[in-house]
Structure formats: C-alpha cells, structure tokens
Amino acid sequence: MLRALGLDGRIELAGEPWLAWARGLDEPDAVRPVAPPEPRPPVSARPRKLSVTKIEKWMRDPYAIYAEHVLRLRKLDPIAADPGAADRGQFIHAALDAFVKAYPSQLPDDAPHRLLAMGRESFGPLLHSHPDVWAFWWPRFERIAEWFVGLERDRRRTLKPLATEVSGELTLSGPAGPFLLTAKADRIDSGGEGLVLIDYKTGTPPSTREIELGFAPQLPLEAAMAEAGGFAGVAKNRVAELAFWRLSGGDPPGEEKAVKGDPATLAAEARAGLEELIRHFDDPATPYRSCPRPAMAPRYTDYAHLARVQEWSAGGDGGEG
C-alpha cells in the first residue's frame, strides 16, 4: 500500500533519527575498561585481629578482608531464605559437639540413638518445616551418626577427647604493632604421642598442595597455637597429628583424612608465612587486591560485585600470577 502511494521507505527514513537515539542509549562515547581495585587504607585502619579462617581469605582474596574489616560491609541474608550448606554444617557440628561433650570417655551402648536425638535437637523445627531438610539432610545425618560412633569407639582405645569448640589465640608481632590471631578448634584429642587437632568438614577439605603452599593454613595455624599453649584449658604440648573429618553422609558417609607432613614443620611454616603477610600489609603501600592469584581464588566471595571482578577479569588480566 505504501509503495502504491509513493511512500515506500518513508517510515524507515522518518524513523531513523529515533532509532539512532535508541541505539545511542547503550553506546558509550568511549570504552574505558575498569582496572582491578587496589585500595590502600592507612595502616591504622587495617585489621589487627583475624581468625585462622580469615587468614585463608586474606591469602586468597585480600579485597574481601578490606571490604569486611576496613569498610565493615556485611552481606545481608535474603528475606525468608531457605537453609543452605552453611546451616547444614552448623547443625551437624552442634550435634557432634554436644555428643562428645556428653560422653568424653565411655560411650553408652545406645550411642547411635543418643547422637540422633542430639541431631534432632540441633536441626530443630527445620526437620518438620522444610521437607527438603527431612528428605535429604536428615538421612545423610543418620549415616554420618553411624559412621561417627563407629570411629569414636575405635579411637577411644588410644585417644581421649580433650576439648571441643575451644577458643584459642596467639599474639604475633608486626611493624605496626601486635597482631592477634584467634581460632575456635572443632576438636582437640590427646594421646600418648601428643595432641590431635581435628576439623569437621561437611564440604570438601583442602588439598595437600593448598596446605603446603599456605593457602589453607587453618589447621597448621591451630597447631602453632596449641604448641604455644594458646587454647583455653589445653596445656601446651606437641601436636602429633592434624586431620580433617569429611562428613558428607554419602558413600562413604564419613572419611578421616590426615594432613600429610610433620605437624611441627607445617605449624612453623604457617606461622612464618603469616608473620610475613602481616609485615607485607603493615606497609601502607601494599594494596588489598581482589583475587591476586586466580588459580587460588576462593570458591565463594560476598564481594565480587563490589570489586567488579567480571569487568576487569574478562580481559585476562586477572592479577598477579
């Protein structure tokens, strides 16, 4: 019809300015790639106290420490959020801790039944209010409980639980002054050869390589703390073993994974590495970079959007090697 009226192309011609304006809304005058953030707060604003778990974050993602401990930003929980992996870990930890505290020496004949009762108390109303917790989490905990009690019966022949969920601290020195390292050990056992430090893991334990390179320093730093007598109620003693207990509830439901290497050597190396890290960040010229070593970046971070990681990492210049 437009062609018959001699108006062929008139709409496109008249609309071209409008189309150009619409396209221009999303076309910047120039593309300016954002650089990775490198905040350098004054040393007086930098943290002088961190937990052993935060030291791993400091190693893998210094920017997260800056955001959390200098800017004091915290991620808000979603409204009416369903329980997640962190909640599951807390429930399982609480049940195992209550069980070991209740029976530090002799286990009762009905130990599995009692551990399950403590599990029900730990999981609380979620067992009935969330069908996925009852259908998926609880069967896994039942398998964990059976495995855990069997391991406990065997271990109690030579080892004795000494402390669970025990707080500790160790003061280190730095150019800007004392630095306080804190910890809460899941469990410390005592045997004829010394202390055994155990960390319960409902997720994946770190690899031997990550521990050797210092990117998973939690247990080695706890060992340094124990050797210095830094845990409340635990006498200073040598550390004979470091171990992760993986509690998946799958097949197998649990796994005891001893950390390879001499605990004293690992503790000394972890302490020396932390002291060097403290000295490094006590220099006001040292920036808090975001994931400076991409191969060792943390699995999860609450601050990637704040650091605008997706903008500057897309070009392949993700930071230092």
Side-chain angles (χ1 to χ4, degrees):
M1 185 179 67
L2 292 173
R3 189 178 301 112
L5 294 173
L7 300 175
D8 190 20
R10 182 65 62 86
I11 291 179
E12 289 81 1
L13 181 64
E16 183 57 34
W18 296 92
L19 294 173
W21 294 335
R23 286 192 294 267
L25 291 174
D26 297 322
E27 293 180 0
D29 294 334
V31 177
R32 301 181 183 88
V34 65
E38 294 189 346
R40 293 174 172 84
V43 174
S44 60
R46 303 187 179 201
R48 307 305 303 173
K49 174 184 176 182
L50 289 173
S51 67
V52 292
T53 54
K54 294 297 174 65
I55 300 303
E56 177 172 345
K57 183 182 293 186
W58 199 8
M59 290 287 297
R60 294 177 182 267
D61 187 11
Y63 185 85
I65 295 296
Y66 164 77
E68 182 176 352
H69 294 274
V70 178
L71 300 183
R72 302 187 184 281
L73 300 176
R74 299 289 190 277
K75 179 182 177 181
L76 295 177
D77 293 330
I79 297 175
D82 290 331
D87 300 295
R88 182 178 70 246
Q90 292 174 4
F91 299 149
I92 294 174
H93 276 64
L96 300 184
D97 178 57
F99 180 80
V100 175
K101 278 186 167 69
Y103 308 107
S105 53
Q106 189 72 26
L107 296 183
D109 294 336
D110 60 345
H113 173 76
R114 301 201 181 198
L115 178 52
L116 289 176
M118 293 175 182
R120 291 188 187 93
E121 183 176 350
S122 177
F123 278 77
L126 288 179
L127 278 178
H128 303 288
S129 63
H130 287 72
D132 53 338
V133 174
W134 177 260
F136 297 104
W137 292 14
W138 184 251
R140 286 182 174 269
F141 179 73
E142 289 179 319
R143 292 191 287 270
I144 290 171
E146 183 179 357
W147 175 85
F148 186 84
V149 170
L151 181 61
E152 283 295 293
R153 291 195 189 281
D154 185 60
R155 287 176 61 84
R156 298 293 176 93
R157 300 170 185 171
T158 56
L159 296 167
K160 176 185 177 182
L162 192 60
T164 63
E165 292 294 320
V166 57
S167 298
E169 60 182 40
L170 179 64
T171 302
L172 303 173
S173 61
F179 185 96
L180 183 63
L181 176 69
T182 65
K184 180 167 281 190
D186 284 346
R187 177 169 171 175
I188 301 177
D189 286 359
S190 176
E193 297 183 1
L195 302 177
V196 178
L197 273 61
I198 300 166
D199 186 43
Y200 300 144
K201 286 289 186 187
T202 50
T204 303
S207 67
T208 299
R209 176 174 170 77
E210 289 175 313
I211 296 172
E212 290 175 346
L213 293 178
F215 287 95
Q218 178 181 348
L219 275 182
L221 287 175
E222 288 183 5
M225 197 174 290
E227 289 179 346
F231 282 104
V234 179
K236 178 179 177 180
N237 196 357
R238 72 179 293 270
V239 176
E241 184 182 345
L242 305 174
F244 294 102
W245 287 12
R246 186 166 185 255
L247 308 168
S248 68
D251 184 16
E255 186 179 5
E256 188 180 9
K257 295 176 67 84
V259 175
K260 296 180 180 179
D262 175 52
T265 301
L266 292 172
E269 291 175 348
R271 177 169 180 161
L274 176 55
E275 289 173 337
E276 176 58 31
L277 191 66
I278 294 169
R279 286 193 293 270
H280 185 58
F281 278 89
D282 276 354
D283 180 354
T286 300
Y288 286 81
R289 292 190 172 96
S290 176
C291 303
R293 301 169 183 83
M296 293 297 177
R299 295 184 181 92
Y300 310 101
T301 176
D302 291 332
Y303 304 101
H305 66 296
L306 187 64
R308 299 171 71 173
V309 172
Q310 291 188 347
E311 293 186 47
W312 51 261
S313 64
D317 185 19
E320 300 172 359

